[in-house]
Amino acid sequence: MTPLVYLAAALAEVAGCFSFWAWWRLDRSVLWLVPGMLSLAAFAWLLSLVDADYAGRAYAAYGGVYIATSLLWLWVVEQRAPDRWDLIGAAVCLAGAGIILLGPRTA
């Protein structure tokens, strides 16, 4: 369940941030901020659903998913294909997220 929650949270965060980007950088209507703020609230709620003992660890592991999802957004929404350095960086971040989330813990 955690990977799906992370993915949904990342999509909500990227969409929310993009609404601010569109308003500020692409000269879109201020009304873009309304769904953006709702999306950012959904992101925070979704991230709180992650089954982890500590919030900081859940957020740290989420970072890798966020990076990969941002590159997916770049490709699908902004229609700019990630280059090999983007993909290598995302793979490193996802590996780090996996280590953080799945690494053995001692009591």
Side-chain angles (χ1 to χ4, degrees):
M1 173 100 168
T2 296
L4 293 176
V5 172
Y6 274 159
L7 179 61
L11 287 171
E13 185 179 10
V14 173
C17 291
F18 184 76
S19 74
F20 279 79
W21 177 277
W23 165 67
W24 186 258
R25 303 281 301 268
L26 302 177
D27 201 30
R28 301 288 162 76
S29 166
V30 71
L31 294 176
W32 275 65
L33 300 180
V34 174
M37 289 185 281
L38 292 172
S39 186
L40 290 172
F43 147 71
W45 175 74
L46 285 163
L47 203 52
S48 73
L49 299 177
V50 171
D51 185 27
D53 293 334
Y54 300 98
R57 190 167 289 141
Y59 302 159
Y62 163 75
V65 177
Y66 174 78
I67 290 168
T69 304
S70 296
L71 292 174
L72 182 63
W73 182 277
L74 171 72
W75 189 16
V76 173
V77 175
E78 298 182 89
Q79 299 185 348
R80 176 72 178 192
D83 64 23
R84 67 179 167 176
W85 300 108
D86 294 327
L87 299 175
I88 291 168
V92 169
C93 292
L94 285 171
I99 291 167
I100 291 168
L101 193 62
L102 304 172
R105 304 280 182 236
T106 57

